[in-house]
Amino acid sequence: MNLIGRTLKFTLGLALGAGIGAVAATFLAPQSGKVSGGQIKARLDSAMQAGKDAQHAREKELQKYWEQEVNVTYSDDKKEAAKKDSK
């Protein structure tokens, strides 16, 4: 069997197993559905906020890097132009 077929089978098996596990966990949970739902929502909200915070930090980091690169390039271009003018 080729690599794509094996990968597809693995992915489908993983998704099916995760789905069955989620259903089993829901039915076997010691607390009510409302409490479980609230906990799941709180975890998802926390994960979303952490992702947004990480995205914002990375954007600031990339912006700073880009500004440094533009300034270096701009100053190099100015130096080259000044050398040409002095000749």
Side-chain angles (χ1 to χ4, degrees):
M1 184 178 292
N2 64 11
L3 180 63
I4 295 173
R6 288 189 313 211
T7 304
L8 183 60
K9 278 188 173 183
F10 174 78
T11 304
L12 290 174
L14 183 67
L16 182 62
I20 290 171
V23 170
T26 301
F27 285 122
L28 299 174
Q31 65 267 10
S32 72
K34 284 186 178 185
V35 173
S36 294
Q39 289 176 342
I40 291 170
K41 184 177 181 337
R43 284 187 181 182
L44 287 174
D45 289 344
S46 174
M48 288 291 291
Q49 188 60 45
K52 288 177 183 178
D53 292 344
Q55 175 189 3
H56 183 68
R58 183 68 174 149
E59 285 174 352
K60 286 176 71 174
E61 180 183 327
L62 290 172
Q63 180 71 26
K64 184 177 178 181
Y65 176 77
W66 181 79
E67 288 172 352
Q68 288 174 347
E69 288 297 314
V70 168
N71 287 337
V72 167
T73 303
Y74 181 71
S75 64
D76 289 346
D77 290 345
K78 286 177 83 174
K79 288 176 187 175
E80 287 181 27
K83 285 181 185 176
K84 287 181 184 177
D85 289 341
S86 65
K87 289 182 182 181

